[in-house]
Amino acid sequence: MSILSVKDLKVRYSASGPEILKGVSFEVDADDFFAIIGPSGAGKSTLIRCINRLVEPKSGEITLYGTDVLALNSRGLRKLRRDVGMIFQEFNLVDRMSVMDNVLSGRLGYVGNITALFRLFSKKDISRALSVLDRVGLSDHVDKRADQLSGGQRQRVGIARALMQDPKLLLLDEPTSSLDPKISREVMELIVEIAAEYKMPVLCNIHDVQLAMEFCTKMIGLQDGIKMFDGPTAKMNTKKLDEIYAMEVL
Amino acid sequence: MTTAEATAREADRIIAARSRTKLMHSAIYLVVLAFVLWSVKTTIVDDTDWARLGSLADVLESISEFVGIDWGLVPNLWEPAIETIMVATLGTLLGVIVCVPAIWFGALNITPYAPITYPLARLMMTLSRSIHEIVWALFFVAAVGLGALAGVLAIAVRSVGFIAKMSAEAIEDLDPKPVEAIRAVGGSDFQVFIYAILPQVLPAMISVIIFEWEINIRRSSVLGLVGAGGLGLVFFRQLNTFNHPGVSTVILAILVLILFGEFVSYYVRKAII
Amino acid sequence: MASSATTHRHSQTRRESPREWRRFKFPESLYRWAGVLLGLVFLSYSIIYLNIPLERFFTMFGRVGALITDRYYPPEIDYVTQPEYLASVWETIQMAYLGGMFGMAMAIPLGWFGSYNMTPHRRFVYPLARFVTMSTRSVHETIWAILFVTILGFGMMAGVLALTMFCIGFAGKLFAEEIEAIDMGPVEAIRATGASELSVMVYAVFPQVRVAFTGIGIYTWDVAFRAATVVGFFGAGGMGWYLKRNVLQIETLRVSAILVSIVVLVLIAEGISAWARARVAKAK
Ligand SMILES: Nc1ncnc2c1ncn2[C@@H]1O[C@H](COP(=O)(O)OP(=O)(O)OP(=O)(O)O)[C@@H](O)[C@H]1O
Ligand SMILES: [Mg+2]
């Protein structure tokens, strides 16, 4: 049984607009580290954001750990989101909050409104945040404000926030595109390690095919909302890549 | 094990620090709250004539008197509504004219003699903005008598501050090169103003003026309360004759007028910019 | 298109006389002159319609000057330093403070509901919140004061409520605009953790707007204080009541003293507000 299965997913942003995803299907297993590649505008971000319903698909089917994602009500959706960690290209930290608070915000799916309102996180949550920060190598920056960190450090905070959720699936939307090549490699290495430690599958949008080939076990190639390739990274070759990126070359 | 202990200690430190901040914040909020409560007591509890107010039912009843529209009044509202718009418009225009020296003196990069003219202009702007339009209207009613003129003057004087301040700030931010160019061909201060400065700041100024015009409709709709014409006067009359649905009607008319103003300003802005 | 027309016009300019040159802008110039003409017609029509005596207008400056020196000068400063009047000043400050507090407390949720990006419901809550802010804003504070005085009787309660209404409209709109300008990235990130909408507000939105909200709050208080000086004129408490009494009794020297006191107080309030806002902006 696969952990995540997506069937015939179709998305439009507006009724009159173009169809961005034109029926995409794939399956993700427990130990998969999926790369989603494709030219800009292919619909990679859209696809990944459908899985935790930051974007509402028009039709199709998404099943995650046996739950029909698209049928969930708002309460169920919140519960689902808390099981799905997400890491963003622009980090999406709250700049004016401390690193600690940014990381703690990963627990928001678990705590009640009063706790959230007065920031009454338990000692357990704080200890957990500390060890997660330690894991991503930020134990010296706990009390700093998020906007005082470098890009690589900020993305590490983003990873820590996702880990606080105790996720069962990790979604990455170009986690390294705002970072320089050396830092990108470090961040990818960290993510691969962590995914193995937490034994969770990963779906990763990525622009840099080199990085994708190096770190990911499987690949989906998207072009203009249509899946062009789906298989182990080893089966990807230059010819197929050229095909996927044909639009961009033209 | 030691790392776990270290983490636990660090967690304790963080929790202690967080509760300290929380304590400080709560103290501040408590002070604010105490002052609010005390003010509520002195201003509302002590100062209100509770006997006159009566029970909640009485209050609700007097509110319910305002529900409804006096359709008979509607035809009589056209004239004062037009008057209100006119007072607002003339007042804004006059304000713009009065603004010119205030802008000229009040922008640091073009003010003729900064030590004197700049503070003078700033004083003008602050005075204009800080005195409420009702007070200005009272003053002008005393000076020129009852009627629309007092309203126009009050609106004009009240508008100067904001228009002049925003325009002077726009001028202070402008690109100095065209100014130098006009100076270089031998232009006078006035010519520099007309040919180099005005074209640069005109869009910003016009948008400020339209914005102020919108606000002025709101202002001129009440000046009638102190004898300066427009819808305010009708409002006052309805109130004095205890025609409470009429009062609501006038308020609705003011709302419509302001919506009209927003509508016009939206289109004018789109047409110009 | 526009640039080619311009060059064309320029090449014509060189050859022909200025009078001819105007003709090439023909359609726009017609609209423009029509607009100006319409404006002038409206202007003169308004002046006639409103019965504005222009001759009086031009001699006015002298008359106002004479009026001030004859009747309003020197202001009776003793009147405004007596304890009773000072107490009313204090009341005015309290009214503005309370109105600001209550108004802000309601303006924050209204700002949230009335911001297009964060509103809980775009088709129902959003227009409703917009309508509430719009209408509280459109009704002038003096009208609010009169309404509350009519319903609740003379006193500061009416004043506080009038100022509350004023602050709701004033701050609510600015708050909503501020929320509409935030970066949506953190909002999505916090939503993606499964947080409730309230948590999203507290963690992703509020930190982004806190500084701006504080600035707006101070500014609102400052403007509310200005309004507070006059609501008493209609019986809603504070120093405006003294103004009304002396205006009615034609105690012009006292009126001018009160006006001076208002100006001084408002200037002080504005000074404090500008200072506080500058500090808040620096604190970021
Ligand atoms: N919120 C939105 N509203 C309308 N159209 C959108 C929205 N988001 C994305 N699109 C459109 O959907 C298409 C796919 O966008 P998407 O962000 O999924 O592409 P992508 O593959 O992630 O590209 P990139 O590599 O540049 O991030 C684009 O044509 C984009 O213009
Ligand atoms: Mg993308």
Short mmCIF file of all heavy atoms in Angstrom, two decimals, chain B residues 213-247:
data_model
loop_
_atom_site.label_atom_id
_atom_site.label_comp_id
_atom_site.label_asym_id
_atom_site.label_seq_id
_atom_site.Cartn_x
_atom_site.Cartn_y
_atom_site.Cartn_z
N TRP B 213 -10.88 66.33 -0.67
CA TRP B 213 -12.23 66.71 -1.09
C TRP B 213 -13.26 65.73 -0.53
O TRP B 213 -14.31 66.12 -0.03
CB TRP B 213 -12.29 66.75 -2.63
CG TRP B 213 -13.65 67.02 -3.18
CD1 TRP B 213 -14.29 68.23 -3.18
CD2 TRP B 213 -14.53 66.09 -3.80
NE1 TRP B 213 -15.52 68.11 -3.76
CE2 TRP B 213 -15.70 66.80 -4.15
CE3 TRP B 213 -14.45 64.73 -4.10
CZ2 TRP B 213 -16.77 66.18 -4.79
CZ3 TRP B 213 -15.52 64.13 -4.73
CH2 TRP B 213 -16.66 64.86 -5.06
N GLU B 214 -12.90 64.45 -0.62
CA GLU B 214 -13.78 63.42 -0.07
C GLU B 214 -14.05 63.66 1.41
O GLU B 214 -15.18 63.58 1.87
CB GLU B 214 -13.06 62.08 -0.23
CG GLU B 214 -13.76 61.08 -1.07
CD GLU B 214 -12.98 59.79 -1.06
OE1 GLU B 214 -12.01 59.68 -1.84
OE2 GLU B 214 -13.31 58.90 -0.27
N ILE B 215 -12.97 63.94 2.14
CA ILE B 215 -13.13 64.17 3.58
C ILE B 215 -13.95 65.44 3.81
O ILE B 215 -14.75 65.51 4.74
CB ILE B 215 -11.74 64.30 4.25
CG1 ILE B 215 -11.00 62.99 4.13
CG2 ILE B 215 -11.88 64.70 5.70
CD1 ILE B 215 -9.63 63.01 4.70
N ASN B 216 -13.75 66.41 2.94
CA ASN B 216 -14.45 67.68 3.12
C ASN B 216 -15.96 67.55 2.93
O ASN B 216 -16.72 68.32 3.51
CB ASN B 216 -13.89 68.73 2.18
CG ASN B 216 -12.58 69.28 2.72
OD1 ASN B 216 -12.28 69.14 3.90
ND2 ASN B 216 -11.79 69.90 1.86
N ILE B 217 -16.38 66.58 2.13
CA ILE B 217 -17.83 66.36 2.01
C ILE B 217 -18.38 65.96 3.36
O ILE B 217 -19.40 66.46 3.83
CB ILE B 217 -18.12 65.26 0.98
CG1 ILE B 217 -17.70 65.71 -0.40
CG2 ILE B 217 -19.61 64.92 0.98
CD1 ILE B 217 -17.93 64.67 -1.45
N ARG B 218 -17.65 65.07 4.02
CA ARG B 218 -18.04 64.62 5.34
C ARG B 218 -18.08 65.81 6.31
O ARG B 218 -18.99 65.93 7.12
CB ARG B 218 -17.02 63.58 5.80
CG ARG B 218 -17.25 63.00 7.15
CD ARG B 218 -16.24 61.88 7.36
NE ARG B 218 -16.33 61.36 8.71
CZ ARG B 218 -15.69 61.86 9.74
NH1 ARG B 218 -14.90 62.92 9.58
NH2 ARG B 218 -15.83 61.33 10.94
N ARG B 219 -17.10 66.68 6.18
CA ARG B 219 -17.05 67.81 7.09
C ARG B 219 -18.16 68.80 6.80
O ARG B 219 -18.84 69.28 7.72
CB ARG B 219 -15.70 68.53 6.96
CG ARG B 219 -14.57 67.74 7.51
CD ARG B 219 -13.27 68.47 7.30
NE ARG B 219 -12.18 67.72 7.89
CZ ARG B 219 -10.94 67.75 7.41
NH1 ARG B 219 -10.64 68.53 6.37
NH2 ARG B 219 -10.00 67.04 7.99
N SER B 220 -18.33 69.10 5.52
CA SER B 220 -19.29 70.16 5.21
C SER B 220 -20.71 69.69 5.51
O SER B 220 -21.62 70.50 5.67
CB SER B 220 -19.16 70.62 3.76
OG SER B 220 -19.63 69.62 2.90
N SER B 221 -20.89 68.36 5.62
CA SER B 221 -22.24 67.88 5.93
C SER B 221 -22.65 68.21 7.35
O SER B 221 -23.82 68.07 7.70
CB SER B 221 -22.33 66.38 5.67
OG SER B 221 -21.53 65.68 6.59
N VAL B 222 -21.72 68.60 8.20
CA VAL B 222 -22.11 68.92 9.58
C VAL B 222 -21.98 70.40 9.92
O VAL B 222 -22.42 70.83 10.99
CB VAL B 222 -21.31 68.12 10.62
CG1 VAL B 222 -21.57 66.66 10.48
CG2 VAL B 222 -19.84 68.44 10.56
N LEU B 223 -21.37 71.18 9.02
CA LEU B 223 -21.13 72.58 9.40
C LEU B 223 -22.42 73.34 9.65
O LEU B 223 -22.43 74.34 10.36
CB LEU B 223 -20.29 73.28 8.33
CG LEU B 223 -18.86 72.74 8.25
CD1 LEU B 223 -18.06 73.53 7.24
CD2 LEU B 223 -18.18 72.80 9.61
N GLY B 224 -23.49 72.84 9.05
CA GLY B 224 -24.78 73.48 9.26
C GLY B 224 -25.18 73.52 10.73
O GLY B 224 -25.99 74.35 11.15
N LEU B 225 -24.62 72.62 11.51
CA LEU B 225 -24.94 72.59 12.93
C LEU B 225 -24.58 73.90 13.62
O LEU B 225 -25.19 74.27 14.62
CB LEU B 225 -24.18 71.45 13.61
CG LEU B 225 -24.56 70.04 13.18
CD1 LEU B 225 -23.61 69.03 13.78
CD2 LEU B 225 -25.98 69.74 13.59
N VAL B 226 -23.57 74.58 13.11
CA VAL B 226 -23.22 75.85 13.72
C VAL B 226 -23.55 77.01 12.78
O VAL B 226 -23.00 78.09 12.89
CB VAL B 226 -21.73 75.90 14.13
CG1 VAL B 226 -21.48 74.96 15.30
CG2 VAL B 226 -20.84 75.55 12.98
N GLY B 227 -24.44 76.76 11.84
CA GLY B 227 -24.95 77.85 11.03
C GLY B 227 -24.23 78.09 9.72
O GLY B 227 -24.32 79.16 9.14
N ALA B 228 -23.54 77.07 9.21
CA ALA B 228 -22.82 77.30 7.97
C ALA B 228 -23.45 76.54 6.79
O ALA B 228 -22.77 76.21 5.84
CB ALA B 228 -21.35 76.93 8.14
N GLY B 229 -24.75 76.30 6.82
CA GLY B 229 -25.46 75.77 5.65
C GLY B 229 -25.28 74.29 5.40
O GLY B 229 -24.51 73.61 6.05
N GLY B 230 -26.07 73.77 4.43
CA GLY B 230 -25.93 72.38 4.02
C GLY B 230 -26.82 71.43 4.81
O GLY B 230 -27.74 71.83 5.51
N LEU B 231 -26.50 70.14 4.68
CA LEU B 231 -27.31 69.11 5.29
C LEU B 231 -27.34 69.20 6.81
O LEU B 231 -28.30 68.80 7.45
CB LEU B 231 -26.80 67.72 4.88
CG LEU B 231 -27.23 67.23 3.51
CD1 LEU B 231 -26.49 65.95 3.15
CD2 LEU B 231 -28.73 66.99 3.48
N GLY B 232 -26.28 69.73 7.40
CA GLY B 232 -26.22 69.84 8.86
C GLY B 232 -27.38 70.63 9.42
O GLY B 232 -27.93 70.31 10.48
N LEU B 233 -27.76 71.65 8.67
CA LEU B 233 -28.87 72.50 9.12
C LEU B 233 -30.17 71.70 9.15
O LEU B 233 -30.96 71.81 10.11
CB LEU B 233 -28.99 73.69 8.18
CG LEU B 233 -29.92 74.80 8.63
CD1 LEU B 233 -29.40 75.45 9.89
CD2 LEU B 233 -30.06 75.84 7.52
N VAL B 234 -30.40 70.90 8.10
CA VAL B 234 -31.61 70.08 8.04
C VAL B 234 -31.61 69.09 9.19
O VAL B 234 -32.62 68.88 9.85
CB VAL B 234 -31.69 69.31 6.70
CG1 VAL B 234 -33.04 68.65 6.56
CG2 VAL B 234 -31.43 70.25 5.55
N PHE B 235 -30.45 68.50 9.41
CA PHE B 235 -30.29 67.55 10.51
C PHE B 235 -30.72 68.20 11.83
O PHE B 235 -31.52 67.66 12.58
CB PHE B 235 -28.82 67.13 10.59
CG PHE B 235 -28.50 66.18 11.70
CD1 PHE B 235 -28.67 64.81 11.54
CD2 PHE B 235 -28.02 66.64 12.91
CE1 PHE B 235 -28.37 63.93 12.56
CE2 PHE B 235 -27.72 65.77 13.94
CZ PHE B 235 -27.89 64.42 13.76
N PHE B 236 -30.20 69.39 12.04
CA PHE B 236 -30.47 70.13 13.26
C PHE B 236 -31.96 70.40 13.42
O PHE B 236 -32.54 70.26 14.49
CB PHE B 236 -29.70 71.46 13.18
CG PHE B 236 -29.50 72.11 14.51
CD1 PHE B 236 -28.90 71.42 15.55
CD2 PHE B 236 -29.90 73.43 14.71
CE1 PHE B 236 -28.71 72.04 16.78
CE2 PHE B 236 -29.71 74.04 15.93
CZ PHE B 236 -29.12 73.34 16.96
N ARG B 237 -32.59 70.78 12.30
CA ARG B 237 -34.02 71.11 12.34
C ARG B 237 -34.85 69.88 12.67
O ARG B 237 -35.79 69.93 13.46
CB ARG B 237 -34.45 71.68 10.99
CG ARG B 237 -34.82 73.16 11.11
CD ARG B 237 -35.39 73.64 9.81
NE ARG B 237 -34.45 74.51 9.14
CZ ARG B 237 -34.18 74.46 7.83
NH1 ARG B 237 -34.76 73.56 7.05
NH2 ARG B 237 -33.35 75.33 7.30
N GLN B 238 -34.50 68.73 12.05
CA GLN B 238 -35.24 67.50 12.33
C GLN B 238 -35.13 67.13 13.80
O GLN B 238 -36.08 66.70 14.43
CB GLN B 238 -34.70 66.33 11.49
CG GLN B 238 -34.72 66.58 10.01
CD GLN B 238 -36.08 67.06 9.54
OE1 GLN B 238 -37.09 66.47 9.88
NE2 GLN B 238 -36.10 68.16 8.80
N LEU B 239 -33.93 67.34 14.32
CA LEU B 239 -33.68 66.98 15.71
C LEU B 239 -34.49 67.87 16.63
O LEU B 239 -35.10 67.41 17.60
CB LEU B 239 -32.19 67.14 15.99
CG LEU B 239 -31.67 66.32 17.15
CD1 LEU B 239 -31.62 64.86 16.75
CD2 LEU B 239 -30.29 66.82 17.53
N ASN B 240 -34.52 69.15 16.33
CA ASN B 240 -35.21 70.09 17.21
C ASN B 240 -36.72 69.92 17.18
O ASN B 240 -37.41 70.27 18.12
CB ASN B 240 -34.86 71.54 16.83
CG ASN B 240 -33.55 71.93 17.46
OD1 ASN B 240 -32.99 71.17 18.25
ND2 ASN B 240 -33.06 73.10 17.12
N THR B 241 -37.23 69.39 16.05
CA THR B 241 -38.67 69.15 15.97
C THR B 241 -39.00 67.71 16.35
O THR B 241 -40.11 67.25 16.13
CB THR B 241 -39.19 69.42 14.55
OG1 THR B 241 -38.40 68.65 13.64
CG2 THR B 241 -39.10 70.88 14.19
N PHE B 242 -38.02 67.00 16.90
CA PHE B 242 -38.18 65.61 17.36
C PHE B 242 -38.66 64.69 16.24
O PHE B 242 -39.34 63.71 16.49
CB PHE B 242 -39.13 65.53 18.55
CG PHE B 242 -38.62 66.30 19.72
CD1 PHE B 242 -39.13 67.56 20.02
CD2 PHE B 242 -37.60 65.77 20.50
CE1 PHE B 242 -38.63 68.28 21.10
CE2 PHE B 242 -37.10 66.49 21.56
CZ PHE B 242 -37.61 67.75 21.87
N ASN B 243 -38.31 65.02 15.01
CA ASN B 243 -38.66 64.15 13.90
C ASN B 243 -37.53 63.13 13.74
O ASN B 243 -36.67 63.27 12.87
CB ASN B 243 -38.85 64.97 12.63
CG ASN B 243 -39.23 64.10 11.45
OD1 ASN B 243 -39.51 62.91 11.62
ND2 ASN B 243 -39.22 64.67 10.27
N HIS B 244 -37.54 62.09 14.56
CA HIS B 244 -36.38 61.21 14.59
C HIS B 244 -36.17 60.39 13.33
O HIS B 244 -35.04 60.22 12.89
CB HIS B 244 -36.43 60.33 15.85
CG HIS B 244 -36.13 61.14 17.08
ND1 HIS B 244 -36.38 60.71 18.34
CD2 HIS B 244 -35.62 62.39 17.22
CE1 HIS B 244 -36.02 61.62 19.21
NE2 HIS B 244 -35.57 62.66 18.56
N PRO B 245 -37.24 59.87 12.69
CA PRO B 245 -37.01 59.23 11.39
C PRO B 245 -36.38 60.20 10.39
O PRO B 245 -35.57 59.80 9.56
CB PRO B 245 -38.41 58.81 10.94
CG PRO B 245 -39.19 58.69 12.21
CD PRO B 245 -38.64 59.73 13.13
N GLY B 246 -36.74 61.47 10.52
CA GLY B 246 -36.13 62.48 9.65
C GLY B 246 -34.64 62.57 9.89
O GLY B 246 -33.84 62.69 8.96
N VAL B 247 -34.24 62.46 11.16
CA VAL B 247 -32.81 62.48 11.49
C VAL B 247 -32.10 61.34 10.79
O VAL B 247 -31.07 61.53 10.14
CB VAL B 247 -32.63 62.37 13.03
CG1 VAL B 247 -31.17 62.15 13.37
CG2 VAL B 247 -33.16 63.60 13.73
#
